[in-house]
């Protein structure tokens, strides 16, 4: 693979912003993200800075964003891990009953799809989740929209299995988000 998979650095907020806005313009964005392009554009530079610092390799450890960086320095994709648990403020609905990682913001640019980028990002994210000692995570989960079979197939191939849990899609209570998870090995 010609890409380096690594955590974001605190000062890379402009690149984080650019990649996120590209993701929000992707045709799959309405079923993949809980934010619109217009909402992303309205975020202040300070909000992008804070988001990047929190998810960086220098952050507090409750969030980590990984990127795939090409030889030219361009970013081909990203995934973020949120740490959730009984002692962590709920980010999506109710507080988790066990310590777990939650993968969000999964995106690979169209020209890098079908390469090893997504595999590398997921490997780095899950390995980081398992490396945490405090709290020790019991599982890693993610949600996938019921109408996103391409993503669901990738998650299954990577070892995630449907748990049977579903949540309504924010903004569209008729649509469902399906929980997939992988348990600590």
């Amino acid at each position: 693979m010609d890409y380096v998979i690594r955590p974001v650095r605190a000062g890379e907020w402009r690149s984080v912003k650019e990649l996120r806005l590209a993701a929000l313009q992707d045709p799959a964005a309405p079923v993949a993200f809980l934010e619109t392009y217009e909402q992303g554009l309205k975020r202040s530079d300070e909000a992008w800075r804070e988001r990047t610092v929190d998810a960086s390799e220098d952050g507090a450890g409750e969030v980590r964003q990984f990127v795939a960086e090409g030889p030219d320095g361009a970013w081909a994709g990203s995934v973020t891990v949120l740490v959730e648990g009984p002692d962590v403020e709920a980010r999506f609905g109710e507080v988790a009953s066990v310590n777990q990682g939650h993968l969000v913001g999964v995106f690979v640019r169209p020209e890098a799809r079908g390469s090893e980028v997504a595999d590398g990002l997921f490997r780095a994210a899950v390995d980081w989740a398992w490396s945490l000692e405090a709290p020790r995570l019991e599982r890693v989960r993610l949600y996938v929209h019921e109408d996103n079979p391409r993503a669901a197939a990738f998650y299954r191939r990577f070892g995630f299995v449907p748990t049977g849990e579903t949540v309504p899609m924010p903004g569209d209570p008729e649509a469902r988000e399906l929980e997939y998870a992988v348990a600590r090995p």
Side-chain angles (χ1 to χ4, degrees), residues 51-161:
R51 178 182 182 146
T52 304
V53 167
D54 289 347
S56 75
E57 60 191 353
D58 299 320
E62 293 179 2
V63 181
R64 185 64 41 96
Q65 182 178 1
F66 293 89
V67 294
E69 183 176 33
D72 60 355
W75 289 3
S78 177
V79 64
T80 300
V81 184
L82 307 175
V83 174
E84 301 175 323
D87 297 330
V88 178
E89 180 180 333
R91 290 188 175 91
F92 296 100
E94 50 190 72
V95 173
S97 60
V98 298
N99 291 323
Q100 62 190 14
H102 186 153
L103 301 185
V104 299
V106 179
F107 176 68
V108 175
R109 292 186 193 269
E111 62 272 17
R113 292 178 187 156
S115 69
E116 294 293 315
V117 168
D119 286 357
L121 288 167
F122 263 63
R123 198 170 309 106
V126 172
D127 286 351
W128 179 80
W130 295 152
S131 76
L132 294 176
E133 294 182 19
R136 184 176 191 271
L137 305 184
E138 299 301 317
R139 69 183 196 142
V140 176
R141 73 169 180 171
L142 54 82
Y143 284 101
V144 63
H145 191 282
E146 64 190 348
D147 293 332
N148 196 349
R150 179 177 57 95
F154 171 77
Y155 303 145
R156 284 192 303 276
R157 185 174 65 75
F158 205 82
F160 286 77
V161 296

